């Protein structure tokens, strides 16, 4: 995709990534658990420190981020958030395609979870070839086999 770049996040990106998460995800969190800003910030900082975070840039502007973690068998997409004004431009699909291609090269599956109330997100992942493999009260677990 023209204009798309991905760079490794650095510590100074923590505020930007939290702002993106809040802009893109707060409505879902509010519906399921209620939004506690202090708790969400603490959780975000823990995840930022422990996951492989990348900044999504479009035409030189930071517009979102994704984070992944790996096991011997899979790559887990822990988070992918894009600012609302940059959604529906193909950026998420392009990023996910890169993640899946990288996992395929390493012969790993790609897994993720989505809040059940995020029907738009579930539909997005289904379009990319993911299938629901499990669920609990709040989330569906999805996977795409790449081997």
């Amino acid at each position: 995709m023209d204009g798309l770049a991905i760079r490794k996040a650095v510590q100074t990106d923590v505020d930007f990534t939290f702002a993106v998460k809040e802009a893109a995800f707060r409505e879902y969190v509010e519906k399921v658990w209620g939004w506690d800003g202090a708790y969400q910030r603490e959780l975000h900082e823990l995840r930022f420190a422990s996951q492989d975070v990348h900044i999504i840039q479009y035409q030189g502007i930071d517009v979102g981020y994704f984070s992944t973690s790996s096991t011997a068998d899979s790559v887990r997409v822990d988070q992918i958030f894009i600012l609302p004004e940059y959604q529906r431009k193909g950026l998420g699909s392009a990023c996910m395609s890169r993640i899946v291609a990288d996992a395929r090269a390493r012969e790993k599956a790609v897994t993720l979870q989505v809040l059940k109330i995020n029907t738009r997100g579930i539909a997005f992942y289904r379009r990319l070839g993911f299938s629901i493999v499990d669920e609990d009260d709040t989330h569906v677990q999805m996977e795409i086999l790449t081997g």
Side-chain angles (χ1 to χ4, degrees):
M1 160 175 247
D2 288 343
L4 174 67
I6 297 171
R7 67 172 174 81
K8 180 91 170 109
V10 295
Q11 186 59 41
T12 54
D13 291 315
V14 72
D15 290 336
F16 167 74
T17 55
F18 183 71
V20 172
K21 176 184 174 179
E22 185 171 7
F25 195 54
R26 180 177 177 150
E27 70 176 285
Y28 301 110
V29 173
E30 282 180 338
K31 290 176 183 175
V32 177
W33 301 287
W35 182 267
D36 176 337
Y39 172 76
Q40 288 298 323
R41 179 63 188 224
E42 180 181 338
L43 182 62
H44 178 75
E45 289 181 8
L46 287 170
R47 288 178 175 164
F48 189 91
S50 66
Q51 297 170 352
D52 189 18
V53 181
H54 289 83
I55 303 299
I56 302 165
Q57 296 178 309
Y58 182 61
Q59 299 179 342
I61 300 167
D62 292 350
V63 299
Y65 75 99
F66 66 84
S67 64
T68 59
S69 53
S70 294
T71 67
D73 301 330
S74 67
V75 173
R76 180 167 182 82
V77 179
D78 297 302
Q79 303 177 88
I80 181 167
F81 298 118
I82 297 172
L83 289 169
E85 59 268 31
Y86 289 94
Q87 293 176 8
R88 299 182 182 246
K89 297 182 182 302
L91 298 169
S93 295
C95 290
M96 289 300 298
S97 292
R98 289 185 186 193
I99 293 166
V100 169
D102 179 58
R104 183 171 284 127
R106 298 180 344 200
E107 298 181 348
K108 293 184 176 192
V110 179
T111 63
L112 53 85
Q113 73 175 9
V114 184
L115 283 170
K116 284 182 174 179
I117 63 166
N118 185 356
T119 55
R120 201 174 106 201
I122 293 168
F124 166 74
Y125 293 118
R126 282 189 185 274
R127 281 193 306 275
L128 295 175
F130 283 80
S131 300
I132 295 174
V133 295
D134 200 6
E135 65 181 86
D136 60 26
D137 290 343
T138 56
H139 292 86
V140 295
Q141 311 300 317
M142 300 184 82
E143 180 178 73
I144 187 169
L145 300 175
T146 59

